C-alpha cells in the first residue's frame, strides 16, 4: 500500500511539475509580447496616427498583465501543492515514515530478543537489530540488519551457527515479532500455533524452549499448541498423538 501511494504521489508530482513549466513558458511568451507591444507604442507615439491604435494596444497590455497575474496566482497555488506532494513523497519513501517506525521499534525488539535468548540459551547467544546495513560498495543503507554473536565459540554471523543454534535464534525472533505486533496493534495474542519448531534441537534445548513456552502460558494466559513429528517427553498440559 505504501509503495502504491508513493507511485501515485510521484505521478501527480510529475503532472503538476509539467503544468508549472507550461505556465512559465506561457508567461515568457506573454512578457515578450508586452515588450514588443510597448516598443510598438513607443514608435507609434512618435508618429502621427489615430490615437485609437494606442488605446487598443494599451488595452491589450492590460489584458495580458491580468492574465499574467492569474497565471502567477496559479503557479503559487500549484507550488504549494507541489511542496505538499514532495513532503509526502519523502514521507512514504524508505527513508521516511517506514524508517521512522522501524527506528522506534528496534529498542523494544532488542529488549525482547535479549529476554527470550536468555531464557532458552542461558545468555549464550546475543542478537541485536539495527537499521543500517553495509552493502558491497561499503555504503550504508536503511535496512533492518540482524547481528548475531555466540559468546562461547565467538561466531558472529548467522551462517556460522549450526542448525540447532539457528533454530533457537529463530524461535526468539518469532516470539519477539509476536510481541511487537501485539504492541503495535494494541491486541493481546493469546493463541499461538508452532509447527515443527523443535525439529533441529537436542533434548536439552527443546526442554528449555518448552519451559519458556510453558512460562508464557502461565504469565500471559496464552494457549500454545506445538506440532511435532517427534515424540518428545516434555512438560505439556495435554498431548494428542495421531497415528
Amino acid at each position: 500500500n505504501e509503495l502504491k501511494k508513493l507511485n501515485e504521489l510521484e505521478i501527480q508530482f510529475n503532472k503538476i511539475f509539467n503544468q508549472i513549466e507550461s505556465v512559465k513558458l506561457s508567461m515568457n511568451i506573454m512578457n515578450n509580447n508586452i515588450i514588443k507591444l510597448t516598443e510598438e507604442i513607443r514608435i507609434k507615439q512618435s508618429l502621427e496616427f489615430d490615437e485609437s491604435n494606442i488605446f487598443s494596444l494599451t488595452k491589450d497590455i492590460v489584458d495580458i498583465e491580468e492574465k499574467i497575474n492569474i497565471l502567477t496566482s496559479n503557479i503559487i497555488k500549484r507550488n504549494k501543492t507541489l511542496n505538499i506532494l514532495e513532503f509526502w513523497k519523502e514521507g512514504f519513501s524508505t527513508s521516511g515514515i517506514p524508517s521512522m517506525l522501524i527506528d522506534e521499534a528496534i529498542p523494544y525488539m532488542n529488549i525482547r530478543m535479549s529476554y527470550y535468548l536468555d531464557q532458552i540459551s542461558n545468555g549464550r547467544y546475543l542478537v541485536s537489530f539495527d537499521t543500517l546495513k553495509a552493502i558491497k560498495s561499503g555504503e550504508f543503507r536503511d535496512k533492518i540488519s540482524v547481528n548475531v554473536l555466540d559468546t562461547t565459540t565467538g561466531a558472529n554471523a548467522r551462517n556460522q551457527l549450526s542448525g540447532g543454534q539457528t533454530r533457537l535464534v529463530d524461535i526468539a525472533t518469532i516470539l519477539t515479532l509476536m510481541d511487537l505486533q501485539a504492541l503495535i496493534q494494541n491486541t493481546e495474542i493469546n493463541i499461538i500455533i508452532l509447527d515443527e519448531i523443535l525439529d533441529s534441537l537436542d533434548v536439552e534445548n527443546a526442554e528449555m524452549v518448552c519451559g519458556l513456552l510453558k512460562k508464557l502460558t502461565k504469565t500471559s494466559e496464552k494457549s500454545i499448541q506445538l506440532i511435532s513429528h517427534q515424540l518428545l517427553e516434555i512438560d505439556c498440559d495435554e498431548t494428542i498423538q495421531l497415528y
Side-chain angles (χ1 to χ4, degrees), residues 124-127 147-151 154-157 161:
R124 173 174 175 174
Y125 306 106
L126 301 177
V127 175
N147 307 303
V148 180
L149 174 64
D150 183 343
T151 59
N156 60 0
L161 302 179

Side-chain angles (χ1 to χ4, degrees), residues 19-20 22-28 30-31 34 63-81:
Q19 290 176 344
I20 290 177
S22 177
V23 170
K24 289 180 178 179
L25 180 60
S26 297
M27 289 181 63
N28 288 335
M30 290 182 180
N31 282 326
I34 289 177
D63 291 341
I64 291 174
E65 288 178 341
E66 288 180 356
K67 290 180 181 179
I68 288 177
N69 290 334
I70 293 173
L71 291 173
T72 301
S73 177
N74 287 336
I75 286 179
I76 293 174
K77 291 179 181 179
R78 293 185 182 277
N79 276 333
K80 289 181 180 179
T81 303

Side-chain angles (χ1 to χ4, degrees), residues 11-141:
I11 292 173
Q12 192 174 357
F13 172 87
N14 291 331
K15 181 179 178 181
I16 293 178
F17 179 81
N18 291 333
Q19 290 176 344
I20 290 177
E21 291 299 313
S22 177
V23 170
K24 289 180 178 179
L25 180 60
S26 297
M27 289 181 63
N28 288 335
I29 293 173
M30 290 182 180
N31 282 326
N32 290 333
N33 288 338
I34 289 177
I35 294 173
K36 291 179 181 179
L37 290 172
T38 302
E39 180 62 18
E40 287 182 21
I41 291 176
R42 187 189 66 77
I43 294 173
K44 291 183 181 294
Q45 283 178 335
S46 64
L47 303 174
E48 292 183 0
F49 61 92
D50 188 352
E51 291 187 358
S52 61
N53 290 331
I54 295 178
F55 176 79
S56 176
L57 291 173
T58 303
K59 186 177 182 302
D60 289 342
I61 291 177
V62 172
D63 291 341
I64 291 174
E65 288 178 341
E66 288 180 356
K67 290 180 181 179
I68 288 177
N69 290 334
I70 293 173
L71 291 173
T72 301
S73 177
N74 287 336
I75 286 179
I76 293 174
K77 291 179 181 179
R78 293 185 182 277
N79 276 333
K80 289 181 180 179
T81 303
L82 195 61
N83 289 335
I84 292 173
L85 291 175
E86 286 178 339
F87 172 82
W88 285 113
K89 180 181 178 181
E90 177 67 21
F92 284 109
S93 69
T94 55
S95 60
I97 295 175
S99 179
M100 179 187 68
L101 295 176
I102 292 174
D103 286 338
E104 291 182 352
I106 291 298
Y108 177 80
M109 292 172 64
N110 285 336
I111 291 173
R112 297 308 296 166
M113 193 71 175
S114 176
Y115 168 75
Y116 287 128
L117 284 175
D118 186 62
Q119 296 292 311
I120 61 179
S121 72
N122 291 323
R124 173 174 175 174
Y125 306 106
L126 301 177
V127 175
S128 64
F129 302 93
D130 60 51
T131 55
L132 290 178
K133 184 176 181 65
I135 59 179
K136 291 182 178 180
S137 65
E139 297 179 3
F140 286 89
R141 297 287 176 83

Side-chain angles (χ1 to χ4, degrees), residues 128-194:
S128 64
F129 302 93
D130 60 51
T131 55
L132 290 178
K133 184 176 181 65
I135 59 179
K136 291 182 178 180
S137 65
E139 297 179 3
F140 286 89
R141 297 287 176 83
D142 287 331
K143 186 176 181 180
I144 290 183
S145 177
V146 182
N147 307 303
V148 180
L149 174 64
D150 183 343
T151 59
T152 300
T153 65
N156 60 0
R158 182 184 175 87
N159 59 9
Q160 296 176 3
L161 302 179
S162 67
Q165 292 172 322
T166 302
R167 180 52 55 92
L168 289 176
V169 173
D170 289 343
I171 292 171
T173 302
I174 290 171
L175 296 175
T176 295
L177 294 177
M178 178 191 68
D179 289 347
L180 178 63
Q181 180 70 12
L183 177 67
I184 293 175
Q185 299 295 332
N186 193 27
T187 303
E188 183 66 28
I189 299 175
N190 53 18
I191 298 178
I192 305 171
I193 301 175
L194 302 172

